[in-house]
């Protein structure tokens, strides 16, 4: 039995993972959805990583799945506990010395988003469309209860490692994400990981819109270990 360690993105309670948790448990796996101190102004990336370590406890056979901003936390976690596989799910990929708040400019995100909005003929600022354009409306309505505030503290200090962790890593890209456009993410993955991402349908929140397919993908990765 593997343990899937699910690291949320910004301003997110662990409840965002509940549909994926159900799918993975139905397949006989253990799941830990990490509760990050995202509203605590005293907590930075080190505290986020420690929260994950504490949630894991003495579990082993770990597959870490990181979403969005969670990429900064998960890569630190891999230096603190033995990890069999890191799966970056539409996640931000750090580089040494880069603070999360600098990632946007360093990757050319704003220009990529403007170009995507122009291609789509979409007005910027529609949060529901931006994050949930491929999630059923009833699931979107329920997701509101998992929203949290997000402190700016973890955005300020540089990611502290000299290199990305030496852990088997896969990047799973969702093709229909309007927040992190696919063309932009393919480039970032190529530049920062040197790999071609795997792709699946879905918006920025595939754990809600496509939990079964996401579980199938993760289990396929596990079978290859």
């Amino acid at each position: 039995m593997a343990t899937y360690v699910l690291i949320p993105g910004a301003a997110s309670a662990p409840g965002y993972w509940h549909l994926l948790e159900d799918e993975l448990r139905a397949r006989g796996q253990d799941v830990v959805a990490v509760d990050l101190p995202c509203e605590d102004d005293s907590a930075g990336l080190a505290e986020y990583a420690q929260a994950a370590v504490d949630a894991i406890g003495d579990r082993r056979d770990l597959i870490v799945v990181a979403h969005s901003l969670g990429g900064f936390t998960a890569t630190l976690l891999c230096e603190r506990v033995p990890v069999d596989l890191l799966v970056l799910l539409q996640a931000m990929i750090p580089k040494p010395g880069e603070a999360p708040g600098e990632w946007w400019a360093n990757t050319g995100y704003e220009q990529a988003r403007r170009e995507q909005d122009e291609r789509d003929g979409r007005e910027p600022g529609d949060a529901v469309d931006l994050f949930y354009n491929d999630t059923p409306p009833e699931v979107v309505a329920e997701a509101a209860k998992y929203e949290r505030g997000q402190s700016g503290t973890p955005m300020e200090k540089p990611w502290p490692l000299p290199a990305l962790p030496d852990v088997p890593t896969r990047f799973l890209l969702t093709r229909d994400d309007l927040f992190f456009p696919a063309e932009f993410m393919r480039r970032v993955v190529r530049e920062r990981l040197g790999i071609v991402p795997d792709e699946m349908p879905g918006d920025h929140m595939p754990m809600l819109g496509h939990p079964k397919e996401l579980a199938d993908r993760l289990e396929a990765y596990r079978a290859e270990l």
Side-chain angles (χ1 to χ4, degrees):
M1 179 175 67
T3 296
Y4 285 94
V5 183
L6 310 179
I7 310 291
S12 298
Y16 273 106
W17 296 106
H18 76 284
L19 296 176
L20 179 63
E21 286 185 80
D22 290 346
E23 291 287 345
L24 292 171
R25 289 198 172 102
R27 291 160 169 78
Q29 310 305 332
D30 190 16
V31 184
V32 176
V34 178
D35 191 358
L36 296 178
C38 58
E39 295 179 305
D40 183 353
D41 287 333
S42 70
L45 290 177
E47 288 74 24
Y48 282 36
Q50 187 59 47
V53 171
D54 294 342
I56 291 166
D58 60 0
R59 294 175 174 89
R60 292 294 180 265
D61 302 317
L62 306 179
I63 299 174
V64 175
V65 183
H67 178 243
S68 200
L69 178 63
F72 276 85
T73 298
T75 43
L76 292 181
L77 175 63
C78 290
E79 289 291 297
R80 299 191 182 200
V81 297
V83 172
D84 293 337
L85 177 67
L86 171 62
V87 180
L88 297 170
L89 175 64
Q90 206 64 343
M92 297 165 71
I93 306 165
K95 68 177 182 179
E98 177 181 74
E102 297 171 334
W103 182 90
W104 313 91
N106 290 348
T107 58
Y109 170 77
E110 293 295 343
Q111 179 178 346
R113 266 288 314 284
R114 283 196 302 271
E115 292 172 354
Q116 185 68 50
D117 288 346
E118 290 171 2
R119 285 194 295 268
D120 294 341
R122 194 180 65 82
E123 292 295 326
D126 184 346
V128 172
D129 186 39
L130 195 60
F131 289 96
Y132 298 107
N133 55 293
D134 192 42
T135 300
E138 65 275 12
V139 178
V140 176
E142 181 189 12
K145 64 186 178 185
Y146 307 126
E147 295 176 3
R148 285 182 172 173
Q150 176 61 58
S151 169
T153 300
M155 313 299 177
E156 298 168 355
K157 291 185 179 180
W159 186 77
L161 300 182
L164 289 168
D166 185 17
V167 172
T169 301
R170 305 292 289 263
F171 194 100
L172 185 52
L173 181 150
T174 48
R175 290 188 294 267
D176 309 304
D177 188 351
L178 299 181
F179 183 60
F180 284 172
E183 183 177 342
F184 162 74
M185 291 305 290
R186 291 183 190 111
R187 174 177 59 78
V188 172
V189 173
R190 182 179 66 252
E191 292 174 352
R192 297 203 167 192
L193 290 179
I195 64 174
V196 176
D198 299 316
E199 300 191 17
M200 64 173 281
D203 52 28
H204 194 63
M205 309 299 285
M207 71 288 288
L208 294 174
H210 293 269
K212 183 180 184 304
E213 180 169 353
L214 179 52
D216 289 343
R217 295 283 187 135
L218 295 175
E219 282 288 85
Y221 291 157
R222 183 186 62 81
E224 294 174 359
L225 293 175

